[in-house]
Amino acid sequence: MDLYASPMACSLASHITALEAGLPVTIHYVNTATKKTDDGADYRKIAPNGYVPALKLPSGQILNEGASVLQYLADQKPSAKLAPAWGTIERYQLIDTLNYLATEVHKRLFNPIFAPTASEEAKAAAKAELGPTLEYMTKRLGNRDYLVGDSFTVADAYLVTLLNWFRYVGADLKQWPSIDAYYARHLARPSVKQAMAEEMAERQKRAA
């Protein structure tokens, strides 16, 4: 399988998941500004919408939404328990959580903050919601170590990715101790450390 990613973007969650599951996935980095892959190919011929992640399956089919990519990867190795079994209430809780992270956190908050065309008013309004969102996430997490069930899932891979962004835009996670502890705990996870190290190295290579 081929995973198309951009360093430290939302595709990091899929990179973490692939490593966690031990799947034979080849990472191809994409410049989301130029829409070119690391070998100079036109990324829009792979993913017409131009954003990451995209997962190219051995059949040649493409998945291009984070939630579907994450769940597909998880389902390739059920023994890793990165997603609960289909038909269980826990699977629907996972879908519920992924949808919340994708729409209410990723799109609603961070798209305006990162979009170069967004107005300063839109950016300010989004930043004003960072604290209330972390407060809600504190309640959603409760005293548990994981967002869904009793083990690491793709929802945790996604939240760790988003918490990187919270920190990047200046949110002080220490104001939410349970979230801060959750973040620190998962940053120490081998798959997270490896994926982030590889993607930071790619980012630094681009900046050189």
Side-chain angles (χ1 to χ4, degrees):
M1 292 183 288
D2 295 284
L3 176 65
Y4 292 86
S6 182
M8 301 305 289
C10 58
S11 49
L12 173 64
S14 299
H15 191 172
I16 291 168
T17 299
L19 290 171
E20 189 75 29
L23 297 173
V25 170
T26 301
I27 307 293
H28 302 274
Y29 289 109
V30 177
N31 185 319
T32 53
T34 64
K35 309 303 180 186
K36 298 290 186 182
T37 63
D38 50 10
D39 61 359
D42 181 357
Y43 182 55
R44 287 193 182 276
K45 291 184 177 179
I46 299 165
N49 59 26
Y51 56 70
V52 294
L55 184 68
K56 186 176 183 180
L57 308 183
S59 64
Q61 293 176 297
I62 302 288
L63 296 175
N64 196 199
E65 294 294 335
S68 60
V69 171
L70 288 169
Q71 291 181 83
Y72 183 88
L73 291 171
D75 287 339
Q76 301 315 294
K77 191 166 184 183
S79 62
K81 298 183 179 180
L82 293 168
W86 282 103
T88 64
I89 187 60
E90 289 80 11
R91 185 60 175 242
Y92 297 104
Q93 289 171 338
L94 175 74
I95 295 170
D96 181 275
T97 302
L98 291 176
N99 284 351
Y100 169 75
L101 294 175
T103 59
E104 296 303 307
V105 185
H106 182 169
K107 297 291 186 181
R108 187 172 66 88
L109 292 191
F110 286 104
N111 271 21
I113 293 174
F114 292 144
T117 57
S119 67
E120 290 305 314
E121 291 80 5
K123 291 179 186 293
K127 287 183 178 180
E129 290 298 316
L130 295 174
T133 300
L134 287 166
E135 190 66 35
Y136 173 75
M137 287 305 305
T138 295
K139 294 175 182 177
R140 190 163 185 140
L141 181 63
N143 295 321
R144 294 176 290 114
D145 290 337
Y146 308 99
L147 274 177
V148 178
D150 57 2
S151 63
F152 186 90
T153 70
V154 295
D156 299 300
Y158 198 177
L159 181 54
V160 168
T161 298
L162 294 172
L163 290 174
N164 287 337
W165 300 358
F166 275 97
R167 189 174 65 172
Y168 179 77
V169 300
D172 182 6
L173 298 183
K174 289 183 171 54
Q175 294 181 40
W176 296 273
S178 63
I179 292 292
D180 189 47
Y182 169 94
Y183 182 52
R185 186 165 56 250
H186 291 305
L187 282 181
R189 195 172 186 90
S191 61
V192 176
K193 289 175 69 174
Q194 181 179 341
M196 287 181 60
E198 291 176 3
E199 297 201 7
M200 287 302 297
E202 176 66 20
R203 175 178 279 186
Q204 290 166 1
K205 184 174 74 174
R206 291 183 179 193

